[in-house]
Amino acid sequence: MVIAIAQLMVVLDATIVNIALPSAQRDLGMSDANRQWVITAYTLAFGGLLLLGGRIADLVGRKKTFMIGLVGFAVASGLGGAATGSGLLFGARALQGAFAALLAPSALSLLTTTFTIGKERSKAFGIYGAIAGGGAAIGLIAGGLLTEYLDWRWCLYVNIPIAVIAFVGAAVFLHDKPERGRVHLDIPGVVLGCGGLVAIVYGCSEAEPRGWGDGLVIGLLVGGVALLGVFAWWQTRARHPLLPLRIVRNRNRGGAFLTMALAVIALFGMFLFMTYYLQTVLGYSPVRTGVAFLPMVAAIVVGSTQISARLLHRIPPRFLMVPGAVLASVGLFTLTFLTAEPAYVSHVLPAMLLVGLGMGLTFMPVLATATSEVPPRDSGVTSATVNTAQQVGGSIGTALLNTIATSTSAAYIADRLADAARRSAGPGLTPALREQIVKAGVVHGFTVAIGVGSAVMLLAALVAGLMVTGRAPKQGQIPTTDSAESADAAV
């Protein structure tokens, strides 16, 4: 439970501020050009520093890093909530991301080293997988409630009591043996790896307002890929590599990383478009929008804890990943039939249930496979690599699918307005007709982008089926003494 609470705080913080952003912008006088930094500052620091955070966890101890991350995240949240200007808010969000980069990999590595027996491990990863898949939706729900009934600042303040509870629980229940003397920090690897990740995440975030053909975006993406290429070369020669390549060369683990990244590309795009569809097209309030996501969260929990967790120690992981990704793809494809007319019960609800169930089936075995059979000295950086795949996938998915949606919408609206003007015999288009065309164009853009997301999710199913060939986990594993003592309290 301690690890679950902390991980939920990190995951939902990526989306909880989204609904509060308009209120924060008005209150602090942010420009439209700068408001994106409330989101970008967090994702840049989080995504760019994950590998470093994972290695620090291996170096100084997972429990200690976990607790430092909790304290830092709470302090940064308090600073952001009390911000009197946009600069302080941006800085606080960057600090949140930096401490989240410590917290997330140490939480997953604690889970990995604490739970080693089949059924207990499956149950723990079932809960963790539900959080990984549903945390973003929970963030939208919490953001809507806090913004509408309290104030946007509480979207940040709410982290403080959560962190305090998790800190006390960690101090009492969690146990860990740091790998002192065997782990060293690879400084060139830190510069190359973190620099490459920052460049890619920043390039994706800038692709939304600037477009993929912009010189800065291309330079950041090419530079990021080049840095990661040099990073991979250096890891083959470094005496104490930041990311030992044996971790990603493992076929099952590499397949799990890639499956996670592809699935998140499609999932984050859906969250973005459905939030806009419910609020701008159907006119839902922030609270009603958040509540509309509840069925999907429930489906993720059921798929992860009641199906995947019960079956993972009996069947190969891909027998869960492939059907899960296919179900999610079908759910996304259902959303391609949306129109500007209200269609929550007929289209949105069935799609959310399918996507939620599919994500519950997929995320739990992906996380368990990615972190299985990893020596304790590498558990932190392995966990960081899982989180990196999720973070980079989310950044790419949001930017790529949003670009597809906006460009498709613009072309559709321009074409329909021109056609309507030619057909009009009067002085011009009526405001009602113009609004109808614009709404239809916005929805058309959403459906095209979600269709691309559906195809990406099918690709995730293909990758899982071809690359993740491992068998069901063995049942005879025995946990360490520390692990056995802390297993019940950890999740």
Side-chain angles (χ1 to χ4, degrees), residues 218-274:
I218 293 174
L220 286 168
L221 295 178
V222 172
V225 171
L227 283 173
L228 291 182
V230 178
F231 169 75
W233 169 82
W234 172 251
Q235 296 309 282
T236 64
R237 288 158 175 77
R239 186 176 180 183
H240 304 288
L242 178 66
L243 175 61
L245 294 185
R246 63 180 177 273
I247 291 174
V248 294
R249 282 175 178 164
N250 179 281
R251 176 178 181 141
N252 292 302
R253 199 171 296 124
F257 292 150
L258 187 53
T259 300
M260 170 67 83
L262 291 170
V264 171
I265 285 174
L267 186 64
F268 270 53
M270 189 213 70
F271 280 132
L272 175 68
F273 300 135
M274 294 316 300

Side-chain angles (χ1 to χ4, degrees), residues 122 125-126 259 302-328 357-369 460-461 464-465 468 470-473:
S122 296
F125 274 92
T259 300
V302 170
S304 186
T305 63
Q306 301 305 309
I307 301 177
S308 287
R310 295 176 184 273
L311 295 178
L312 182 62
H313 60 284
R314 298 176 181 173
I315 63 176
R318 64 175 171 176
F319 286 6
L320 292 168
M321 296 181 195
V322 174
V326 170
L327 271 179
L357 186 61
M359 286 296 92
L361 291 174
T362 303
F363 275 8
M364 184 269 182
V366 163
L367 291 166
T369 301
V468 184
R471 299 179 179 179

Side-chain angles (χ1 to χ4, degrees), residues 326-353:
V326 170
L327 271 179
S329 178
V330 172
L332 291 172
F333 184 72
T334 302
L335 292 174
T336 63
F337 298 97
L338 285 176
T339 67
E341 299 300 319
Y344 181 81
V345 174
S346 62
H347 288 77
V348 178
L349 180 59
M352 283 189 172
L353 291 174

Side-chain angles (χ1 to χ4, degrees), residues 40-56 94 97-102 105 189-202 227-228 231 242 384 387-392 395:
T40 304
Y42 181 85
T43 57
L44 272 181
F46 186 25
L49 298 177
L50 272 167
L51 286 179
L52 175 60
R55 214 40 164 169
I56 289 174
F99 282 107
L102 283 178
V190 169
V191 174
L192 292 168
C194 294
L197 290 172
V198 166
I200 290 175
V201 173
Y202 185 35
L227 283 173
L228 291 182
F231 169 75
L242 178 66
N387 281 280
T388 299
Q390 186 174 1
Q391 183 64 32
V392 172
S395 298

Side-chain angles (χ1 to χ4, degrees), residues 75-449:
V75 171
S77 298
L79 286 173
T84 55
S86 58
L88 181 56
L89 180 58
F90 299 156
R93 290 287 287 167
L95 272 179
Q96 278 187 304
F99 282 107
L102 283 178
L103 187 55
S106 59
L108 183 53
S109 59
L110 279 168
L111 195 73
T112 302
T113 55
T114 299
F115 295 92
T116 56
I117 297 177
K119 289 185 178 180
E120 288 186 354
R121 182 178 173 87
S122 296
K123 181 180 178 181
F125 274 92
I127 297 172
Y128 194 94
I131 292 171
I138 295 172
L140 295 173
I141 297 169
L145 290 170
L146 292 171
T147 301
E148 188 157 329
Y149 292 113
L150 290 174
D151 184 78
W152 68 267
R153 298 178 184 276
W154 279 97
C155 292
L156 296 164
Y157 287 146
V158 71
N159 293 321
I160 298 174
I162 296 175
V164 169
I165 293 170
F167 184 90
V168 173
V172 175
F173 296 115
L174 295 185
H175 303 276
D176 178 47
K177 291 182 178 180
E179 302 291 323
R180 291 190 180 93
R182 291 192 288 173
V183 182
H184 303 268
L185 198 57
D186 172 21
I187 299 301
V190 169
V191 174
L192 292 168
C194 294
L197 290 172
V198 166
I200 290 175
V201 173
Y202 185 35
C204 290
S205 66
E206 287 295 305
E208 292 186 64
R210 293 174 177 266
W212 291 94
D214 182 79
L216 176 63
V217 173
I218 293 174
L220 286 168
L221 295 178
V222 172
V225 171
L227 283 173
L228 291 182
V230 178
F231 169 75
W233 169 82
W234 172 251
Q235 296 309 282
T236 64
R237 288 158 175 77
R239 186 176 180 183
H240 304 288
L242 178 66
L243 175 61
L245 294 185
R246 63 180 177 273
I247 291 174
V248 294
R249 282 175 178 164
N250 179 281
R251 176 178 181 141
N252 292 302
R253 199 171 296 124
F257 292 150
L258 187 53
T259 300
M260 170 67 83
L262 291 170
V264 171
I265 285 174
L267 186 64
F268 270 53
M270 189 213 70
F271 280 132
L272 175 68
F273 300 135
M274 294 316 300
T275 300
Y276 275 100
Y277 174 78
L278 293 172
Q279 291 196 50
T280 63
V281 178
L282 300 189
Y284 282 20
S285 68
V287 171
R288 191 179 179 188
T289 299
V291 171
F293 281 98
L294 277 177
M296 185 173 68
V297 175
I300 290 174
V301 172
V302 170
S304 186
T305 63
Q306 301 305 309
I307 301 177
S308 287
R310 295 176 184 273
L311 295 178
L312 182 62
H313 60 284
R314 298 176 181 173
I315 63 176
R318 64 175 171 176
F319 286 6
L320 292 168
M321 296 181 195
V322 174
V326 170
L327 271 179
S329 178
V330 172
L332 291 172
F333 184 72
T334 302
L335 292 174
T336 63
F337 298 97
L338 285 176
T339 67
E341 299 300 319
Y344 181 81
V345 174
S346 62
H347 288 77
V348 178
L349 180 59
M352 283 189 172
L353 291 174
L354 286 171
V355 171
L357 186 61
M359 286 296 92
L361 291 174
T362 303
F363 275 8
M364 184 269 182
V366 163
L367 291 166
T369 301
T371 56
S372 66
E373 300 179 4
V374 176
R377 68 179 182 274
D378 291 331
S379 63
V381 73
T382 303
S383 303
T385 307
V386 179
N387 281 280
T388 299
Q390 186 174 1
Q391 183 64 32
V392 172
S395 298
I396 293 173
T398 301
L400 174 63
L401 297 182
N402 188 58
T403 302
I404 293 172
T406 52
S407 60
T408 305
S409 293
Y412 180 98
I413 292 169
D415 182 61
R416 294 302 188 277
L417 287 176
D419 184 61
R422 286 194 301 267
R423 294 171 180 269
S424 176
L429 296 176
T430 64
L433 179 58
R434 181 180 293 274
E435 181 181 358
Q436 181 182 354
I437 291 173
V438 169
K439 273 191 176 183
V442 169
V443 175
H444 177 70
F446 290 169
T447 58
V448 171

